[in-house]
Amino acid sequence: AGTLPAMPAAAAAGTLPAMPAAAAAETGTTYYVNSSSATCSDAAGGISSGQPWCSLAAASKAYHSGDRLLIARGSSYTNQFLTLSGQGTARARITVAAYGTGDKPKLSGGSNPGKAVVLLQNPSYVSVSGLELSDAGAGVLAQYRASFPGLPTGNRSLVFTDLLVHNISGIGSSRVNGGPQDFACHSNGLDLWQSGGVAVTGDFGIPVASTSYFVSGVTFRNIVGHNNLNVVNIDTCDGRVGNPDAPGAPAPYLVRNVTVNNVNAYDGDGSGY
């Protein structure tokens, strides 16, 4: 009646029972692009800095949580466009950044006003940094759309930092007499009301539910822009989401948790902000 229950054999021998292993951190793959490299190859996998991809077209693909796409400093890409799909997680973001030494990699749209130099399709937990973007309708554009890969869940937890954007224009506002709707939001193919060096927009055919947000958790930090229509913008087409031909009332929740820190603009294009 006065004895204790027998201890497990392992404990009796002076050892503790095994503890559950800690959850492993999510890891991804690092990819490289370097148009200046003599050993670059678009036919390669892009996973080695010794044999990187040559073009942005080769790097346009679906990425996964923890993946990093690194673009070589000192390299340049004219009339090339990067399209990235995929969603990261809070523990493992998808990252687009520069590597090496020298000037920021120069990504130019070749004066194409109907394109985004970098298009993020249905992005969440994505970071873009260290690039120079120019000569297009948008520099880097985060956009959700039903026709893009993945779930059109909106723009969530995006970080844009250390970017130089210039000569971004070509998509401007237009109005229809007698109504607030703006047909340019759909007709330009980018669901943008106005050009932006760093822009966030969405599919105006998908109403924002009362339990969701058009944009949630976006940071614009250390961005310099010149000769742009806008340096940064969150573009909801006059705050309306739905059929642009017959817009309804503004959605009850559109934007929350947006940080703009150290964004500098100079030398507008004559109509810019």
PDB file of all heavy atoms in Angstrom, residues 112-116 135-139 168-171 190 192 194-197:
ATOM      1  N   ASN A 112       7.655  49.154 -72.816  1.00  0.00           N
ATOM      2  CA  ASN A 112       6.400  48.443 -73.075  1.00  0.00           C
ATOM      3  C   ASN A 112       5.386  48.818 -71.997  1.00  0.00           C
ATOM      4  O   ASN A 112       5.473  48.342 -70.866  1.00  0.00           O
ATOM      5  CB  ASN A 112       6.642  46.933 -73.077  1.00  0.00           C
ATOM      6  CG  ASN A 112       5.453  46.152 -73.586  1.00  0.00           C
ATOM      7  OD1 ASN A 112       4.312  46.560 -73.401  1.00  0.00           O
ATOM      8  ND2 ASN A 112       5.710  45.034 -74.224  1.00  0.00           N
ATOM      9  N   PRO A 113       4.404  49.689 -72.306  1.00  0.00           N
ATOM     10  CA  PRO A 113       3.495  50.179 -71.277  1.00  0.00           C
ATOM     11  C   PRO A 113       2.448  49.169 -70.839  1.00  0.00           C
ATOM     12  O   PRO A 113       1.769  49.381 -69.834  1.00  0.00           O
ATOM     13  CB  PRO A 113       2.826  51.387 -71.940  1.00  0.00           C
ATOM     14  CG  PRO A 113       2.833  51.045 -73.395  1.00  0.00           C
ATOM     15  CD  PRO A 113       4.119  50.300 -73.623  1.00  0.00           C
ATOM     16  N   GLY A 114       2.294  48.077 -71.569  1.00  0.00           N
ATOM     17  CA  GLY A 114       1.257  47.114 -71.226  1.00  0.00           C
ATOM     18  C   GLY A 114       1.741  45.932 -70.418  1.00  0.00           C
ATOM     19  O   GLY A 114       1.010  44.965 -70.227  1.00  0.00           O
ATOM     20  N   LYS A 115       2.975  46.017 -69.915  1.00  0.00           N
ATOM     21  CA  LYS A 115       3.563  44.881 -69.212  1.00  0.00           C
ATOM     22  C   LYS A 115       4.086  45.311 -67.847  1.00  0.00           C
ATOM     23  O   LYS A 115       4.438  46.469 -67.620  1.00  0.00           O
ATOM     24  CB  LYS A 115       4.714  44.295 -70.023  1.00  0.00           C
ATOM     25  CG  LYS A 115       4.333  43.792 -71.398  1.00  0.00           C
ATOM     26  CD  LYS A 115       3.774  42.384 -71.360  1.00  0.00           C
ATOM     27  CE  LYS A 115       4.872  41.380 -71.147  1.00  0.00           C
ATOM     28  NZ  LYS A 115       4.353  39.982 -71.247  1.00  0.00           N
ATOM     29  N   ALA A 116       4.168  44.339 -66.942  1.00  0.00           N
ATOM     30  CA  ALA A 116       4.881  44.510 -65.683  1.00  0.00           C
ATOM     31  C   ALA A 116       6.229  43.805 -65.824  1.00  0.00           C
ATOM     32  O   ALA A 116       6.285  42.667 -66.292  1.00  0.00           O
ATOM     33  CB  ALA A 116       4.100  43.908 -64.524  1.00  0.00           C
ATOM     34  N   ASP A 135      10.912  51.345 -67.439  1.00  0.00           N
ATOM     35  CA  ASP A 135      10.402  51.349 -68.812  1.00  0.00           C
ATOM     36  C   ASP A 135       9.326  50.306 -69.067  1.00  0.00           C
ATOM     37  O   ASP A 135       9.446  49.446 -69.945  1.00  0.00           O
ATOM     38  CB  ASP A 135      11.563  51.157 -69.802  1.00  0.00           C
ATOM     39  CG  ASP A 135      12.578  52.266 -69.699  1.00  0.00           C
ATOM     40  OD1 ASP A 135      12.287  53.395 -70.165  1.00  0.00           O
ATOM     41  OD2 ASP A 135      13.665  52.035 -69.132  1.00  0.00           O
ATOM     42  N   ALA A 136       8.252  50.383 -68.285  1.00  0.00           N
ATOM     43  CA  ALA A 136       7.115  49.477 -68.469  1.00  0.00           C
ATOM     44  C   ALA A 136       5.882  50.101 -67.834  1.00  0.00           C
ATOM     45  O   ALA A 136       5.938  51.180 -67.243  1.00  0.00           O
ATOM     46  CB  ALA A 136       7.416  48.109 -67.856  1.00  0.00           C
ATOM     47  N   GLY A 137       4.737  49.406 -67.957  1.00  0.00           N
ATOM     48  CA  GLY A 137       3.517  49.870 -67.333  1.00  0.00           C
ATOM     49  C   GLY A 137       3.534  49.719 -65.829  1.00  0.00           C
ATOM     50  O   GLY A 137       2.857  50.455 -65.108  1.00  0.00           O
ATOM     51  N   ALA A 138       4.310  48.750 -65.343  1.00  0.00           N
ATOM     52  CA  ALA A 138       4.513  48.559 -63.907  1.00  0.00           C
ATOM     53  C   ALA A 138       5.907  47.983 -63.712  1.00  0.00           C
ATOM     54  O   ALA A 138       6.412  47.258 -64.576  1.00  0.00           O
ATOM     55  CB  ALA A 138       3.466  47.623 -63.316  1.00  0.00           C
ATOM     56  N   GLY A 139       6.522  48.318 -62.579  1.00  0.00           N
ATOM     57  CA  GLY A 139       7.827  47.752 -62.270  1.00  0.00           C
ATOM     58  C   GLY A 139       7.674  46.350 -61.724  1.00  0.00           C
ATOM     59  O   GLY A 139       7.876  45.366 -62.424  1.00  0.00           O
ATOM     60  N   ILE A 168       8.307  54.517 -65.275  1.00  0.00           N
ATOM     61  CA  ILE A 168       7.163  53.603 -65.216  1.00  0.00           C
ATOM     62  C   ILE A 168       5.911  54.425 -65.495  1.00  0.00           C
ATOM     63  O   ILE A 168       5.514  55.272 -64.688  1.00  0.00           O
ATOM     64  CB  ILE A 168       7.058  52.917 -63.843  1.00  0.00           C
ATOM     65  CG1 ILE A 168       8.318  52.092 -63.553  1.00  0.00           C
ATOM     66  CG2 ILE A 168       5.818  52.049 -63.784  1.00  0.00           C
ATOM     67  CD1 ILE A 168       8.561  50.933 -64.482  1.00  0.00           C
ATOM     68  N   SER A 169       5.287  54.200 -66.653  1.00  0.00           N
ATOM     69  CA  SER A 169       4.111  54.977 -67.035  1.00  0.00           C
ATOM     70  C   SER A 169       3.402  54.234 -68.164  1.00  0.00           C
ATOM     71  O   SER A 169       3.768  53.134 -68.538  1.00  0.00           O
ATOM     72  CB  SER A 169       4.521  56.386 -67.487  1.00  0.00           C
ATOM     73  OG  SER A 169       5.388  56.310 -68.606  1.00  0.00           O
ATOM     74  N   GLY A 170       2.356  54.867 -68.688  1.00  0.00           N
ATOM     75  CA  GLY A 170       1.645  54.296 -69.831  1.00  0.00           C
ATOM     76  C   GLY A 170       0.246  53.828 -69.524  1.00  0.00           C
ATOM     77  O   GLY A 170      -0.584  53.712 -70.422  1.00  0.00           O
ATOM     78  N   ILE A 171      -0.031  53.503 -68.252  1.00  0.00           N
ATOM     79  CA  ILE A 171      -1.382  53.111 -67.858  1.00  0.00           C
ATOM     80  C   ILE A 171      -1.935  54.249 -67.014  1.00  0.00           C
ATOM     81  O   ILE A 171      -1.485  54.469 -65.884  1.00  0.00           O
ATOM     82  CB  ILE A 171      -1.391  51.791 -67.074  1.00  0.00           C
ATOM     83  CG1 ILE A 171      -0.811  50.665 -67.922  1.00  0.00           C
ATOM     84  CG2 ILE A 171      -2.804  51.441 -66.631  1.00  0.00           C
ATOM     85  CD1 ILE A 171      -0.668  49.351 -67.184  1.00  0.00           C
ATOM     86  N   LEU A 190      -3.643  44.254 -66.984  1.00  0.00           N
ATOM     87  CA  LEU A 190      -2.965  44.198 -65.696  1.00  0.00           C
ATOM     88  C   LEU A 190      -3.874  44.571 -64.537  1.00  0.00           C
ATOM     89  O   LEU A 190      -3.422  44.647 -63.397  1.00  0.00           O
ATOM     90  CB  LEU A 190      -1.741  45.129 -65.708  1.00  0.00           C
ATOM     91  CG  LEU A 190      -0.620  44.745 -66.670  1.00  0.00           C
ATOM     92  CD1 LEU A 190       0.496  45.784 -66.620  1.00  0.00           C
ATOM     93  CD2 LEU A 190      -0.063  43.365 -66.350  1.00  0.00           C
ATOM     94  N   LEU A 192      -4.914  47.370 -63.718  1.00  0.00           N
ATOM     95  CA  LEU A 192      -4.377  48.568 -63.099  1.00  0.00           C
ATOM     96  C   LEU A 192      -5.132  49.804 -63.563  1.00  0.00           C
ATOM     97  O   LEU A 192      -5.450  49.935 -64.735  1.00  0.00           O
ATOM     98  CB  LEU A 192      -2.895  48.745 -63.469  1.00  0.00           C
ATOM     99  CG  LEU A 192      -1.869  48.010 -62.619  1.00  0.00           C
ATOM    100  CD1 LEU A 192      -0.473  48.224 -63.184  1.00  0.00           C
ATOM    101  CD2 LEU A 192      -1.917  48.480 -61.175  1.00  0.00           C
ATOM    102  N   GLN A 194      -3.725  52.877 -62.737  1.00  0.00           N
ATOM    103  CA  GLN A 194      -2.590  53.726 -63.066  1.00  0.00           C
ATOM    104  C   GLN A 194      -1.284  52.954 -62.886  1.00  0.00           C
ATOM    105  O   GLN A 194      -1.183  52.060 -62.039  1.00  0.00           O
ATOM    106  CB  GLN A 194      -2.549  54.969 -62.176  1.00  0.00           C
ATOM    107  CG  GLN A 194      -3.668  55.954 -62.446  1.00  0.00           C
ATOM    108  CD  GLN A 194      -3.474  57.233 -61.664  1.00  0.00           C
ATOM    109  OE1 GLN A 194      -2.797  57.261 -60.641  1.00  0.00           O
ATOM    110  NE2 GLN A 194      -4.070  58.309 -62.142  1.00  0.00           N
ATOM    111  N   SER A 195      -0.282  53.332 -63.683  1.00  0.00           N
ATOM    112  CA  SER A 195       1.036  52.719 -63.575  1.00  0.00           C
ATOM    113  C   SER A 195       1.651  52.984 -62.201  1.00  0.00           C
ATOM    114  O   SER A 195       1.443  54.035 -61.602  1.00  0.00           O
ATOM    115  CB  SER A 195       1.967  53.274 -64.646  1.00  0.00           C
ATOM    116  OG  SER A 195       1.602  52.825 -65.933  1.00  0.00           O
ATOM    117  N   GLY A 196       2.465  52.027 -61.742  1.00  0.00           N
ATOM    118  CA  GLY A 196       3.183  52.192 -60.491  1.00  0.00           C
ATOM    119  C   GLY A 196       4.500  51.444 -60.535  1.00  0.00           C
ATOM    120  O   GLY A 196       4.575  50.337 -61.072  1.00  0.00           O
ATOM    121  N   GLY A 197       5.539  52.058 -59.974  1.00  0.00           N
ATOM    122  CA  GLY A 197       6.825  51.371 -59.890  1.00  0.00           C
ATOM    123  C   GLY A 197       6.709  50.097 -59.088  1.00  0.00           C
ATOM    124  O   GLY A 197       7.273  49.058 -59.452  1.00  0.00           O
TER     125      GLY A 197
END
